[in-house]
Amino acid sequence: MKMDWLPSIVRARRGAGIAQLLPIVLTPIVTLLALIVVLGNPPAWTIDIGGPHDTRFVAGVLPPQTDRDTGITFRWFRPKAEIRLHGTELAPVELSLRIHNGQSRQDGERRLQLKYGDRILSSLTLTPGWRTYQFLLPATPSDARLEAAPLTLESDQLRVGTRDSVERGVAIDWVRIYPLRSSAGLWRALALTWGLAVLIAWLWRIDALLFKRGQLRWLRVGVPAGTLALGLVWWASINPYSLAWALPELPWSLAIATGLLIAVWIGALVTPRQPSLWIITTAVGALAIGQALLNSQIAVGLGWTLALFGLALLLACDGWAQGPPATRFQATEQPTATTRPWLGGLDEAIVLVLIFLVALGLRFYQIAEVPYGLWRDEARHGLEALHILNDPSYRPAYISGGVDLPGFGIYPFALAIKLWGVHVWSIREVTGLAGALTVFPLYALVRRLYGRGPVALLSAALLAVSSWHLIISRFSFPTIFDPLLQLTGLWLLIVGLGSSRRKGIRVVILLLAAICFGLALQTYHTGRLALVVAAVLGLLLLFHSPQRWRGWLVGSSVVAGGFILTASPLIGYALSQPAIFNQRVGVVSLLGREDSQYSNRAPLAVLDEAIGRHALMFNVRGDANGRHNAPGRPMLDFITGLGFLVGMAVFVRGWRDWRKQFVLAAFFIGLLPSMLSVDSPHGMRSIDALPFVCIIAAFGLIQLGQLCVAAAGNSAHSWLFKRTVHQPHDRALPRLSARLRLGMGGLIVALVLACNYWTYFIDMPPNPAVWTSFYPVHTKVGIFVEDLADHQGVQALRQVFVPAKVAANPVFTYLAYGLPVQSFDGSRLSGPAAAGALFIVSGYSYPQDTDPIIAALNLEPTPLLFGAKLPDGITPSFVVYRKK
């Protein structure tokens, strides 16, 4: 029987598919043409300074005022202020400013200088009264981003008498621009159309995942796409400048969205093939070279190109860890090669204990010497702990002032001081212990998600030796308590909601999880997101096992109730004092403040820039603060960073697995506090993301190893690989293979340990950007005073004088707590000084400023002793002189 009808059906289906796709493809094309026409001839535009929404365009200004005589609204600009004209990037414009100079000629001339980007645009003498000044703004300066460059106004300060202490520059009524003809509209149209096309493509892909039948896909995707396109064209025709503020160029966001889209489509079209030795060698070589270029920052663009090329080669190979089959949330998942255990239960427990001991050793090794000195906030935490110990009525739920932290996070420091006394190391040991203990809940959580296997052990090992985690663990901040409590709570939550134990036991487990989340909230500001991560995990567990919704509902109620009870002191404080509770978060917020350095920038542009910085933080450039990271270096070492790149490919490829969805969601939620704050990326504010980074990197390293072994086996066809792979009934070879894998894993961890040990204990201590970010002089003077009190008695300190600035610093105040130390400021003394009294001079003042001190205080010219040298190996931390 002939089947002549089959080709016609195929042609009909193809025609129907093209007919559905045609309006979707035409939408961005038509939008691009319309935007080119509209943006090619933009209208003139006036910004009413002092009117609504003017802070989108100005920064460094005073509150708006109204002229009593004319009724016009205006703002006083400070002596240095900014105007940012959104929508004028890459385009020359004529600019008019309505400026008032409130100073007469008899009081002297005042000048105004305009800078556009990094160059001086104009410098002029201001005329008294209201005047209109016109300027020609060229195309965007070369140092500008893909947004409007700031126009900086620098003027002489207005003299209005001695009573007014406010710094004023000039008053401005309005700003008006007249665009000149240029090709900038084309680039703006292309950027907007690119974003629209990427959004349409993602809508198409999501619709294909949600709906099996695609007959109406063109309608479900085309209607919102067409609506967005019409809205863009209409907005661009009405006010292209406000559109530029609301939708600026977003290079990082669009690049990431486009890259993921390409990866998804290629993954759907390319048929994986067996990995060969030359493919894997090329891929690993490209990845390694790319990672080296990224870490060294020699050629970041080329590094990303090589890294993505290597990942593309790996993704084209068969043998990747698979997620659950089509029944998306099945009840159980069979272990894959990535998650199948390599060791017996007892052996795995022994390895975990060894990992903990390594973590503990790294966090306690030289804990009094590295980092070199305390930071003032560490000392403030110690002083608050002493206040708690010495005042039974002082039990704060939240500590405002210079600490600005929940009170619960200070109690472990109080316990440490009670046990060991006031020392540099006493408050650091409790954070070091908390950091080392974190490996246990991380291992337990990963084991609960993926079963007993190498992923759990390797994740814990990577966290144990991570210099990022090591730095925060040896820093006396309650930040490190948050991941310990949060991971413990997540593990207990998945045990309580996912187990089939008796109801009473499950309730107890869930209450313990709620307590952990409640305590995490009361440690550091990042703990506020602990319940969000728990909610994500709870919802995924519900989707994973929807038939158990009744037990899930009861369990979630138990967690919510337990969390509210545990966190009730802090919740009550937040409700009664919301301004104080959110003060610190508001100060470091990236958006939402008129006095912020980002106040006149497009919010989405600021967020896109933050996304870019956080995309680079793991492999290129991390936190620049020497207290949180080695300045200028990535947050991850070479091997962990390489594993993180491959691991992200693993997780993106298997995103349908609910467990991978949870890890990715928790990772991004952990980054939010850093991404939405200034001075980012921030090693402390993003610490909750680090455990999930270790999980992703562990998957990547194991997957990379499996592909290399598979390639070697397929290419060499050796007897060993054949017997290991194709004859699993032979007991000797699998046992040898497991030992070999364990040895390879141990070698990887040893290399990672060596990299991180070198970073923290060898590279960072002598780096001036690291040790000068602490207070080494104040710390060493405080330790010296403590030693004098121990050896000569407290009364001897009444004849020990320290500089007043040192004595007022929290670091010295903490270390010399309760000791009768005297101070001096020049020739002024806090108490009488007898012959033989000791005067301590800061190492920063020696020797250039010591002669006036010696003469004023009648000191012996020869120093009595020198303090320990600073890490530069030259400067003493302090010098002691004796009074004649």
Side-chain angles (χ1 to χ4, degrees), residues 326-339:
T327 57
R328 182 177 177 185
F329 297 108
Q330 58 181 3
T332 58
E333 287 87 17
Q334 296 297 324
T336 64
T338 307
T339 59

Side-chain angles (χ1 to χ4, degrees), residues 308-644:
L308 293 175
F309 172 71
L311 289 177
L313 289 179
L314 292 179
L315 287 171
C317 297
D318 198 4
W320 285 71
Q322 300 297 321
T327 57
R328 182 177 177 185
F329 297 108
Q330 58 181 3
T332 58
E333 287 87 17
Q334 296 297 324
T336 64
T338 307
T339 59
R340 188 173 295 110
W342 292 351
L343 300 171
L346 180 60
D347 295 335
E348 190 160 324
I350 293 174
V351 173
L352 179 62
V353 172
L354 291 176
I355 291 172
F356 167 72
L357 293 177
V358 171
L360 194 66
L362 287 172
R363 284 151 183 80
F364 278 72
Y365 175 63
Q366 294 185 349
I367 197 167
E369 292 80 24
V370 182
Y372 196 92
L374 285 172
W375 170 240
R376 66 185 178 199
D377 288 345
E378 294 182 277
R380 287 169 179 166
H381 300 159
L383 291 171
E384 289 294 334
L386 288 166
H387 193 181
I388 292 172
L389 286 175
N390 298 326
D391 186 356
S393 64
Y394 184 65
R395 298 295 182 266
Y398 189 87
I399 304 173
S400 57
V403 176
D404 286 320
L405 286 174
F408 172 77
I410 306 299
Y411 286 89
F413 299 137
L415 177 61
I417 293 174
K418 186 175 180 62
L419 292 176
W420 301 305
V422 176
H423 302 287
V424 171
W425 51 267
S426 56
I427 55 177
R428 284 179 175 172
E429 284 196 343
V430 67
T431 55
L433 178 61
L437 289 172
T438 308
V439 301
F440 289 116
L442 176 60
Y443 167 82
L445 176 64
V446 180
R447 175 171 174 171
R448 192 71 190 181
L449 288 171
Y450 290 99
R452 188 167 54 84
V455 175
L457 285 176
L458 187 54
S459 300
L462 292 178
L463 183 72
V465 302
S466 167
S467 61
W468 180 2
H469 198 263
L470 181 62
I471 290 169
I472 307 303
S473 298
R474 294 168 64 103
F475 198 38
S476 304
F477 260 75
T479 309
I480 201 63
F481 303 141
D482 178 24
L484 172 63
L485 292 167
Q486 189 174 148
L487 290 171
T488 305
L490 293 172
W491 166 57
L492 293 172
L493 179 65
I494 198 172
V495 171
L497 291 179
S499 67
S500 57
R501 293 189 176 98
R502 288 183 298 177
K503 185 176 181 180
I505 298 177
R506 291 176 58 199
V507 169
V508 172
I509 292 174
L510 291 173
L511 279 176
L512 291 174
I515 292 172
C516 289
F517 294 136
L519 295 179
L521 174 68
Q522 301 179 77
T523 56
Y524 190 65
H525 303 294
T526 56
R528 302 183 186 187
L529 294 176
L531 202 61
V532 178
V533 180
V536 171
L537 177 58
L539 290 174
L540 288 173
L541 286 172
L542 175 62
F543 294 147
H544 175 63
S545 303
Q547 70 279 4
R548 303 176 60 182
W549 67 270
R550 292 182 180 86
W552 180 92
L553 188 61
V554 173
S556 299
S557 302
V558 171
V559 172
F563 172 82
I564 292 173
L565 289 175
T566 305
S568 57
L570 190 61
I571 294 174
Y573 183 91
L575 294 176
S576 61
Q577 303 287 342
I580 299 177
F581 179 72
N582 294 308
Q583 180 178 4
R584 179 59 182 171
V585 176
V587 167
V588 301
S589 175
L590 192 64
L591 304 171
R593 290 168 44 232
E594 287 192 3
D595 59 342
S596 169
Q597 58 179 318
Y598 304 103
S599 60
N600 67 339
R601 291 187 58 191
L604 289 182
V606 174
L607 290 176
D608 182 75
E609 189 176 278
I611 291 172
R613 290 194 299 269
H614 286 80
L616 299 176
M617 69 180 287
F618 303 104
N619 300 83
V620 182
R621 187 184 301 106
D623 194 337
N625 191 330
R627 292 188 297 273
H628 309 152
N629 183 47
R633 295 178 61 86
M635 303 300 291
L636 302 179
D637 61 271
F638 184 91
I639 298 174
T640 306
L642 191 65
F644 180 71

Side-chain angles (χ1 to χ4, degrees), residues 202 257-270 315 652-653:
W202 273 112
T258 304
L260 288 175
L261 184 67
I262 293 173
V264 168
W265 283 103
I266 290 178
L269 295 175
V270 174
L315 287 171
V652 171
R653 182 184 177 99

Side-chain angles (χ1 to χ4, degrees), residues 2-17:
K2 294 184 179 181
M3 301 178 65
D4 298 335
W5 49 270
L6 185 58
S8 61
I9 292 180
V10 172
R11 287 193 297 271
R13 289 184 176 179
R14 287 179 180 176

